[in-house]
Amino acid sequence: MFWIKEEKQTIRKCVLYLCAFLCLLCMTKKFQPEAAMVVAEGSQKCYVAIVIDDFGYDGEGTDDMIALEIPFTAAVMPFSNKSVENVEKLQAAGKEMIVHMPMESLTGKKEWVGDTGVFTSMSDEEITQCVKEAFSIVKGATGLNNHMGSAIMENERCFSAVMNVVAENELVFVDSMTTENSVGDSVCHKKGISILKRDVFLDSTDDVNVVKNQLIKTAKIAQQKGYALGIGHVGPEGGNITVQAIKELAPLLEKQGIEFVTVSQLKEIISNS
């Protein structure tokens, strides 16, 4: 009888320990992003390019973002008060840059684009001159993406004028996909321009776990098609939250087969595949 009683107590303790462990596991998962282990290891190499928008204002997270060890591409606003200073910082750190070209939006306020940018009221010559000026400020830029710009991205004449400068210098265009009706594909195809499209917006949140989940989503897309492109921000749309998420999650994703690359590297990888 004593042996049976002791065995029952042992079993009861085991059950209690198991329940405690399961509760702890559930609580841990509640406060963690979607399990990163969804990115399975495999022989196929998966590439993720991260573009960080809104350099040029020296906004929140600028210096910490520049200090990130993983490759990424900085999209610099060319006509902002700290554009030249941020370009110099990025150059000193050996970071790749593209022009984050302000363009007219269908819904946003004009001041969100700024005084200098591409607008539908401009002639082809005025647009060309504006884009060339942007590249003269963001020296060494390997391409261009759109800041806002839904109105321009739906206007073949205006967008073609922008792409003339990109084509002339054999650069890459990154479509931020601010509209489903983008003419990016058709215009770039006509002009022989390499185009990459945004798969995921990473931030615009104050919750680091949301950014982590968006990074995991980007990695899952890369696993499915071989590559993916995510766009984040410095300043109020991302800043320190985005830096923290990338720092904490990138090493785990790299261990699981994700390779972080720049936009120009991704362009070459796709071209050679």
Side-chain angles (χ1 to χ4, degrees):
M1 289 291 293
F2 175 78
W3 179 82
I4 293 174
K5 183 178 180 181
E6 185 177 18
E7 184 179 35
K8 286 183 177 179
Q9 290 176 342
T10 302
I11 292 171
R12 188 179 295 110
K13 285 181 180 180
C14 289
V15 170
L16 289 172
Y17 286 142
L18 179 59
C19 289
F21 173 75
L22 290 173
C23 288
L24 180 62
L25 183 63
C26 290
M27 290 176 66
T28 302
K29 285 193 71 176
K30 181 179 179 181
F31 295 102
Q32 293 296 326
E34 179 184 339
M37 295 308 293
V38 295
V39 183
E41 295 184 34
S43 57
Q44 180 187 5
K45 199 71 176 178
C46 304
Y47 302 96
V48 168
I50 294 179
V51 174
I52 301 296
D53 284 351
D54 295 347
F55 284 95
Y57 291 108
D58 213 23
E60 175 189 301
T62 291
D63 290 338
D64 287 339
M65 195 74 78
I66 292 174
L68 281 177
E69 295 182 1
I70 67 163
F72 73 91
T73 298
V76 183
M77 298 280 286
F79 307 117
S80 301
N81 59 341
K82 296 286 186 177
S83 296
V84 173
E85 182 180 318
N86 282 186
V87 165
E88 290 173 351
K89 285 183 178 182
L90 288 159
Q91 287 176 330
K95 299 300 184 183
E96 177 173 273
M97 297 178 292
I98 59 175
V99 170
H100 191 40
M101 193 70 207
M103 298 181 180
E104 182 181 345
S105 170
L106 289 168
T107 56
K109 298 177 181 178
K110 184 179 184 296
E111 54 263 35
W112 295 350
V113 178
D115 294 331
T116 307
V118 177
F119 297 91
T120 53
S121 60
M122 297 166 68
S123 68
D124 291 3
E125 292 75 19
E126 289 172 326
I127 293 173
T128 298
Q129 183 57 40
C130 183
V131 176
K132 284 185 175 180
E133 184 181 352
F135 275 104
S136 73
I137 295 168
V138 188
K139 297 183 184 301
T142 60
L144 177 148
N145 76 334
N146 52 301
H147 169 63
M148 301 178 66
S150 53
I152 302 300
M153 293 308 304
E154 293 187 9
N155 187 309
E156 186 167 352
R157 179 191 69 81
C158 292
F159 182 66
S160 293
V162 174
M163 288 298 99
N164 285 340
V165 181
V166 175
E168 181 181 331
N169 295 282
E170 298 182 350
L171 304 176
V172 63
F173 173 64
V174 177
D175 192 339
S176 300
M177 298 302 292
T178 55
T179 172
E180 294 180 355
N181 300 316
S182 171
V183 298
D185 255 338
S186 60
V187 171
C188 287
H189 179 72
K190 290 176 185 176
K191 295 183 179 294
I193 297 169
S194 295
I195 178 173
L196 300 172
K197 299 178 185 179
R198 187 266 307 166
D199 291 294
V200 179
F201 275 126
L202 301 176
D203 43 25
S204 297
T205 174
D206 59 0
D207 187 341
V208 68
N209 285 334
V210 172
V211 183
K212 287 182 179 181
N213 283 333
Q214 292 300 91
L215 281 165
I216 291 168
K217 180 180 178 181
T218 307
K220 289 170 71 176
I221 293 171
Q223 193 178 33
Q224 292 165 5
K225 68 175 185 178
Y227 65 89
L229 191 150
I231 293 181
H233 303 79
V234 289
E237 293 297 311
N240 294 327
I241 292 294
T242 304
V243 173
Q244 180 186 346
I246 295 172
K247 275 185 178 179
E248 292 180 6
L249 200 56
L252 177 59
L253 296 180
E254 286 178 321
K255 286 179 181 178
Q256 295 174 351
I258 295 296
E259 181 175 340
F260 291 96
V261 295
T262 63
V263 160
S264 59
Q265 288 172 330
L266 184 58
K267 169 189 169 183
E268 292 302 315
I269 289 165
I270 295 171
S271 297
N272 296 329
S273 64

